[in-house]
Amino acid sequence: MSSIELTSARNVLGGPLRACSYAPLTGFFRDGCCRTRKDDPGLHVVCARMTPDFLAFSAARGNDLVTPRPEWRFSGLVPGDRWCLCAQRWLDACEAGVAPPVVLEATHEQALDVIPLELLLRHASSPPAQPPDG
């Protein structure tokens, strides 16, 4: 996965927001980035690597991310895929013990409106290149 900076948006570490995934193509805007705007009711800002436990958790709550939906040009997710999740859904999964690993550099800073940075750091898919300012 390339770490191309596409926008002036910032990530949860205070650096430039990196792309989350182009294959599958993710994001509220389907541009590969976990960006948002006011008409995104789910706040799709957490870039996470899918796990079997999280995918089952999401399906059990009415959001089946596995089943292909060709009418939406969605091929379905498999474990290992990176995807922009709703901040509250990720937090709910965390509280249930099934939070998928977070890609900090590709998680939009607005995730911090819902999720404490300490929690994201504990669930990072890899340690940050530089510790966050604080």
Side-chain angles (χ1 to χ4, degrees), residues 27-112:
F28 180 73
F29 299 102
R30 290 299 191 265
D31 64 358
C33 290
C34 299
R35 300 182 304 121
T36 190
R37 65 179 182 208
K38 290 179 185 174
D39 61 338
D40 173 10
L43 197 62
H44 293 80
V45 294
V46 176
C47 180
R49 194 178 73 244
M50 297 298 96
T51 64
D53 289 343
F54 175 77
L55 291 169
F57 171 86
S58 187
R61 280 150 184 78
N63 188 19
D64 179 358
L65 297 172
V66 175
T67 303
R69 300 295 301 258
E71 68 273 23
W72 297 340
R73 294 176 27 208
F74 178 69
S75 59
L77 300 178
V78 297
D81 284 345
R82 287 167 41 158
W83 194 251
C84 294
L85 299 178
C86 299
Q88 187 61 53
R89 177 56 51 92
W90 185 90
L91 185 58
D92 294 344
C94 185
E95 291 168 353
V98 294
V102 175
V103 181
L104 298 170
E105 294 82 1
T107 296
H108 195 284
E109 66 186 348
Q110 279 191 272
L112 299 174

